[in-house]
Amino acid sequence: MANSSFVLFTVEIITVGHIFPNAPGAIPFIGPGLDTAIEELGRLYGRNFNFTHKYLFDSRYPNAYELATGSDVLVASWYYSPLRRPGNLTVFIFGGSLESYPTNRLAGGWNTLMMTSVTNGQILRNRELSPTWITGSCVSLGAYLRLYDNLLQTFKWRSIYVIADAAANPVYLDLHPSLLGVISRIEGSQCTSRWINSGRSVVTDLKPYLLEFQTMSRVLIFLGRGETLRQLMLEAFNQSMTGSEYVFIAMEVFESPLYGRFTWKAGDSDDNMAREAFRSVLLLGPDRSIYDAPSTGLVHDWKRRTLRDYNVSYDEVNPYVMSSYSSVLIFGQILNETLTAEELPDFRDGKALAQRFMNRSFRLDYTEVYIDEAGERRPDLVVRDLDLESGRFVKKLLQEKKHSHLITLGDIDWGGDSADEGPPQNEPPCGYRGHARDCQRSSIHLL
């Protein structure tokens, strides 16, 4: 029976971040999404909860890297301040980047619920190290790792070559070690990983890597920006390493200049060559549903607030704004459920509150959010390949948020001379170097 003595109490929401507009998860971009969502909580649940919201930032920290070095002091100084008047419930809700990790340690030690809407490092899935961390981010590293595993297992690829760009977005750098772990656990797998740094020069010499790749694999996973992928594919074309014998797997986190433009088209003399080369690319990324917004009016309001409050303007709202808005709303649903609970929860127990989010779906007017057993949001992911006629990438495989298997949506063009050519073999019949014993015997016999 519900507790009829429930009275209004204060929910203290804390947002950690930096105020410089140099990342899609910075406060100037996601802040309006958080603000409007908290205002919506007041309209929906204000009869029972009083919501307060405070931003924690320091202008000495201009980016995520700098913030990470001082965020523990920033957060702890606020938490232990004699001037602070704690609410009945305190919760951290913020975008998160590298500062998420020291904040996670503090939140876990204080047993305080922590929700991020941008980052979701793999440490989140270790509930001993992250007992109170939930992420509503539209980018799920766990889901991507599952998708890579599905692809490699489905097509029986065991010899893998990985190129990771040290100058790429931290999402790729976070993914890299876990991806190598996924590959190593596939029976019979062999993996070679190489680092490049496209930030050191305008043009990175990728030929040596491709020549090495050719001697040990036919499956290359690239973790980096779209422009560097185009450069890689042009070099692969020059080395006759495109077509149905090779496959290049890339990942587009979502459409944003931060991750580069994942397209063959650059408006230069190499476009035709790049278009043909990109037939050998499989592009992993989110389904279009991550771009779903509550309303066009709210999107315009977010832009207006960003301009008004931070003097920053932009054209397209990035999906992290939507996931920030959604994260607050699902937190509100959890709070509202406590009103009809058999017993009131202990709001000081962040670990217990975090468990209320797990293994369930949250229905919102404009989307559905699914949080898995480790507290990580799972989005629908797709595998796309290039449609030569339109010049655009088209969905061919789907990994749904609640399931682990792949669903076929269409036939993949593997870049061969005929449409019915299958996927690249893990190893060519004559071996990677063409030195297989049977092939050598055949050559000698023919002579």
Side-chain angles (χ1 to χ4, degrees):
M1 190 170 184
N3 189 328
S4 60
S5 64
F6 187 86
V7 294
L8 178 71
F9 72 97
T10 301
V11 180
E12 180 184 36
I13 299 175
I14 305 300
T15 296
V16 186
H18 64 88
I19 58 172
F20 296 88
N22 50 19
I27 289 175
F29 299 115
I30 69 166
L34 295 172
D35 294 339
T36 51
I38 293 170
E39 292 166 12
E40 181 66 11
L41 293 192
R43 286 189 288 270
L44 293 172
Y45 314 120
R47 293 181 60 185
N48 298 291
F49 301 98
N50 176 39
F51 297 95
T52 67
H53 185 205
K54 180 179 180 60
Y55 285 98
L56 291 182
F57 61 87
D58 191 322
S59 58
R60 292 177 300 174
Y61 305 132
N63 54 54
Y65 296 97
E66 297 287 341
L67 178 60
T69 64
S71 58
D72 49 356
V73 174
L74 177 68
V75 174
S77 297
W78 158 81
Y79 188 85
Y80 293 112
S81 170
L83 301 178
R84 177 182 170 230
R85 296 293 178 264
N88 301 101
L89 167 64
T90 297
V91 56
F92 292 99
I93 304 181
F94 60 106
S97 183
L98 299 177
E99 78 278 4
S100 300
Y101 304 107
T103 306
N104 173 54
R105 289 194 294 271
L106 292 174
W110 295 328
N111 198 16
T112 299
L113 180 65
M114 178 180 119
M115 295 185 69
T116 55
S117 58
V118 174
T119 194
N120 63 351
Q122 283 299 290
I123 193 175
L124 174 144
R125 303 192 69 83
N126 185 330
R127 300 314 296 180
E128 291 187 4
L129 298 178
S130 307
T132 67
W133 188 356
I134 298 292
T135 181
S137 175
C138 56
V139 179
S140 166
L141 297 187
Y144 275 108
L145 292 173
R146 193 174 299 110
L147 182 55
Y148 279 109
D149 185 55
N150 273 333
L151 271 180
L152 300 181
Q153 299 278 19
T154 297
F155 297 111
K156 297 180 173 57
W157 293 326
R158 296 294 182 266
S159 299
I160 314 300
Y161 192 92
V162 178
I163 293 181
D165 188 351
N169 186 274
V171 169
Y172 299 109
L173 307 186
D174 287 344
L175 181 70
H176 178 260
S178 298
L179 175 60
L180 298 187
V182 166
I183 296 171
S184 69
R185 288 189 289 274
I186 297 176
E187 185 177 356
S189 66
Q190 294 182 334
C191 182
T192 301
S193 180
R194 296 289 182 257
W195 287 93
I196 62 172
N197 192 331
S198 64
R200 291 180 177 173
S201 61
V202 177
V203 178
T204 302
D205 185 9
L206 298 171
K207 181 178 177 180
Y209 301 97
L210 286 171
L211 294 180
E212 181 186 47
F213 160 58
Q214 188 179 41
T215 66
M216 60 183 62
S217 177
R218 291 297 181 264
V219 181
L220 190 151
I221 295 176
F222 174 74
L223 301 176
R225 291 178 56 84
E227 292 82 359
T228 312
L229 173 66
R230 184 176 186 268
Q231 182 187 344
L232 177 72
M233 296 313 299
L234 287 171
E235 186 60 51
F237 187 88
N238 288 331
Q239 299 301 320
S240 300
M241 293 174 63
T242 55
S244 60
E245 190 178 332
Y246 297 87
V247 63
F248 297 79
I249 304 173
M251 169 185 160
E252 182 180 35
V253 179
F254 55 74
E255 296 172 4
S256 169
L258 183 72
Y259 305 113
R261 297 178 65 250
F262 284 80
T263 177
W264 53 270
K265 191 173 185 178
D268 59 24
S269 58
D270 291 329
D271 272 358
N272 289 336
M273 185 166 57
R275 183 170 183 155
E276 180 62 28
F278 265 63
R279 291 180 65 197
S280 296
V281 172
L282 292 181
L283 188 59
L284 281 51
D287 182 69
R288 296 296 304 180
S289 59
I290 72 158
Y291 301 99
D292 291 343
S295 69
T296 55
L298 193 55
V299 169
H300 290 315
D301 190 26
W302 292 337
K303 293 181 180 180
R304 181 185 63 80
R305 291 179 186 231
T306 294
L307 182 60
R308 180 196 68 191
D309 298 340
Y310 305 101
N311 196 29
V312 175
S313 62
Y314 59 88
D315 295 323
E316 298 295 330
V317 173
N318 76 71
Y320 287 143
V321 183
M322 272 78 85
S323 64
S324 298
Y325 184 84
S326 302
S327 295
V328 173
L329 292 190
I330 66 174
F331 167 67
Q333 288 189 20
I334 292 292
L335 279 183
N336 191 50
E337 289 173 1
T338 65
L339 299 179
T340 55
E342 291 293 323
E343 294 182 5
L344 285 180
D346 181 357
F347 288 103
R348 295 167 298 180
D349 189 348
K351 180 178 179 180
L353 283 177
Q355 290 173 344
R356 289 175 172 264
F357 289 82
M358 298 179 188
N359 268 328
R360 58 176 294 187
S361 295
F362 297 85
R363 290 275 183 183
L364 303 174
D365 291 341
Y366 56 96
T367 192
E368 180 186 47
V369 175
Y370 177 71
I371 306 294
D372 70 11
E373 73 286 350
E376 182 177 15
R377 177 183 176 181
R378 284 191 197 170
D380 290 335
L381 297 180
V382 295
V383 178
R384 295 179 288 161
D385 78 342
L386 185 68
D387 177 66
L388 269 181
E389 187 173 340
S390 67
R392 297 184 177 185
F393 279 95
V394 178
K395 293 188 293 185
K396 296 299 175 68
L397 299 170
L398 168 67
Q399 179 180 273
E400 291 183 315
K401 60 174 70 74
K402 297 181 184 179
H403 305 286
S404 297
H405 60 274
L406 291 178
I407 299 172
T408 300
L409 304 177
D411 294 329
I412 295 175
D413 170 18
W414 295 105
D417 295 331
S418 62
D420 59 352
E421 286 194 49
Q425 298 179 30
N426 181 65
E427 183 175 356
C430 291
Y432 298 118
R433 300 171 184 265
H435 295 165
R437 184 174 301 174
D438 290 344
C439 294
Q440 290 180 324
R441 287 175 178 173
S442 299
S443 300
I444 292 172
H445 181 73
L446 288 173
L447 288 175

